Amino acid sequence: MSYAESIVALADPTRRQLFELLAAHPGPVGALAEHLPVSRPAVSQHLKVLSEAGLVTVRAEGTRRIYAVRREGLAELRAWIDGFWDDVLAGFEAEVLARKGNDT
Amino acid sequence: MSYAESIVALADPTRRQLFELLAAHPGPVGALAEHLPVSRPAVSQHLKVLSEAGLVTVRAEGTRRIYAVRREGLAELRAWIDGFWDDVLAGFEAEVLARKGNDT
DNA sequence: TCTTACCGTAAGTCATGTCTTACGCTGAGT
DNA sequence: ACTCAGCGTAAGACATGACTTACGGTAAGA
């Protein structure tokens, strides 16, 4: 739901791999687990984290749960980084101006 | 040095706070520690992680070590996320086309 | 209804990461 | 030379997180 949860979620390698799989195409838990080096329950747990971070969505299809990436979640993370980027540039500019003023 | 280290580095709240401080203006370790809820050695350790991730740079000034953000590091992280974003859009497009073809 | 596929959760283990205190090194000033 | 400020690192405590196996619950098919 927030950029903080998103970045924590994507910090884990397995979860990143899982997210990449979902970026390619949505799918049920079992199919996803086949392409990952961990057990199916582990995948479920990772999906829970990704879901709570707002990075994926679920859709029930019979007894299957089809997971897919939630683009708004990734957009939020992008926006946060871009804001950070702006801060860095502003800080850099301030440093330059200060140096010019003091004439170090 | 890689996006993976960067995202892991910024996943920690204290380290994010530290990085935000540096985004505002560079400074020595002690000064940074005063604005953080942890001890000075802890700040040193966090700075090491940020440094190894390529997110900050160091400059010696007497016995002081002036840390500053490394813009290329943040740019790398941005690039990774943007690439991810493109993948997601491509995946979405593929899904749409597949749905159109199969006419689900 | 009975079975089976599919999945989430609980419980417990084990590794990893974050913090603290203690210590040692280096450069500046007296 | 001596002292002190400023850091980095080592060592150890502690919490957190990622994984496994075991279990229970739900929907589809025979």
Side-chain angles (χ1 to χ4, degrees):
Chain A
M1 212 54 141
S2 78
Y3 73 92
E5 292 177 274
S6 295
I7 197 169
V8 167
L10 293 181
D12 181 77
T14 304
R15 226 140 44 201
R16 262 203 313 275
Q17 208 176 333
L18 176 55
F19 194 66
E20 287 174 12
L21 284 177
L22 289 176
H25 47 77
V29 179
L32 294 168
E34 289 177 357
H35 299 277
L36 292 173
V38 295
S39 68
R40 184 196 52 76
V43 174
S44 268
Q45 293 164 4
H46 283 308
L47 285 170
K48 183 178 183 180
V49 174
L50 289 171
S51 175
E52 288 175 347
L55 288 171
V56 301
T57 57
V58 209
R59 165 172 49 100
E61 193 168 283
T63 88
R64 301 195 193 180
R65 315 259 301 170
I66 310 296
Y67 283 86
V69 307
R70 179 172 169 272
R71 294 190 299 286
E72 295 85 358
L74 193 57
E76 192 178 352
L77 185 57
R78 272 183 93 203
W80 173 71
I81 293 209
D82 284 350
F84 227 131
W85 180 259
D86 292 341
D87 287 350
V88 169
L89 288 189
F92 178 67
E93 186 180 4
E95 287 296 320
V96 170
L97 291 180
R99 200 154 31 218
K100 185 179 182 183
N102 291 349
D103 204 83
T104 306
Chain B
M1 213 53 141
S2 79
Y3 74 91
E5 292 176 274
S6 296
I7 197 169
V8 167
L10 293 181
D12 181 76
T14 304
R15 226 140 45 202
R16 263 202 313 273
Q17 207 177 333
L18 175 55
F19 194 65
E20 287 175 12
L21 285 177
L22 289 176
H25 48 76
V29 180
L32 293 168
E34 290 177 357
H35 298 276
L36 291 172
V38 295
S39 68
R40 184 196 51 76
V43 173
S44 267
Q45 292 165 3
H46 283 307
L47 285 170
K48 183 177 183 181
V49 174
L50 288 171
S51 175
E52 288 175 348
L55 288 171
V56 301
T57 58
V58 209
R59 164 173 50 101
E61 193 168 284
T63 87
R64 302 195 193 178
R65 315 259 299 171
I66 311 295
Y67 283 86
V69 307
R70 179 170 169 273
R71 294 191 298 286
E72 296 85 359
L74 193 56
E76 193 178 350
L77 185 58
R78 271 183 94 204
W80 174 70
I81 293 211
D82 284 350
F84 227 131
W85 180 259
D86 292 342
D87 287 349
V88 169
L89 289 188
F92 178 68
E93 185 180 4
E95 287 296 319
V96 170
L97 291 179
R99 203 159 22 222
K100 186 179 180 182
N102 290 349
D103 204 85
T104 305

